[in-house]
Amino acid sequence: MADLPVYMRACLHTGKLAALAILVSGGIVLQILACALYNNWWPMLTVIMYVLLPMPLLFFVGSDSSIFSESENGWVNATKFLTGASAIGSIAIPAILKHAGVIGFGALAMVLSSFFVFVLAIMCYIRTSDGDDSYSII
């Protein structure tokens, strides 16, 4: 990609951002549809977990260390644990609601598909932000 002109690289980066925005918007729409189509707003409890998910990363991990590397730092390990617990909670809340008979299978499927769309968006963001800092419009 080094042989492409600068304006072409900037355009491709903008397209990646647009694709990420479409993925996140699709996840939000699936989450709202899971509630609105079945006239039951209990699946919105997973939104609390979506909000809590990045909090340990924001509070405990500094910019000097990567979350994906091995670390002897206790704060980084606690951050990994809390983030993992929040991610599992995003799957567990709809499963518990389905088991209790509060929501139906359709709402469960839509909430879980919303979660996987969000995970796909995060993975795509990590993939696009790894080495794309080399372009500049100026």
Side-chain angles (χ1 to χ4, degrees):
M1 205 155 126
D3 56 343
L4 289 175
V6 173
Y7 64 88
M8 185 66 97
R9 284 185 282 173
C11 182
L12 289 174
H13 186 68
T14 304
K16 291 177 187 177
L17 288 177
L20 287 173
I22 290 170
L23 277 174
V24 170
S25 300
I28 292 170
V29 166
L30 280 171
Q31 184 73 35
I32 292 172
L33 282 177
C35 298
L37 287 179
Y38 299 100
N39 199 18
N40 187 354
W41 292 92
W42 280 104
M44 275 296 186
L45 284 175
T46 57
V47 173
I48 295 170
M49 297 308 290
Y50 295 153
V51 171
L52 292 178
L53 189 65
M55 294 302 167
L57 294 171
L58 293 174
F59 294 142
F60 296 128
V61 175
S63 60
D64 56 344
S65 64
S66 174
I67 192 71
F68 299 114
S69 64
E70 289 289 326
S71 174
E72 296 296 324
N73 189 353
W75 289 109
V76 173
N77 291 333
T79 300
K80 290 177 183 179
F81 174 76
L82 291 173
T83 304
S86 298
I88 295 301
S90 299
I91 297 172
I93 288 174
I96 291 169
L97 290 173
K98 170 65 176 104
H99 181 73
V102 176
I103 64 173
F105 181 74
L108 173 71
M110 291 183 91
V111 170
L112 291 179
S113 63
S114 168
F115 173 75
F116 289 117
V117 168
F118 282 135
V119 168
L120 179 66
I122 290 169
M123 289 172 46
C124 290
Y125 173 74
I126 290 171
R127 173 78 170 105
T128 58
S129 66
D130 277 345
D132 281 347
D133 295 336
S134 61
Y135 78 94
S136 175
I137 296 176
I138 299 175

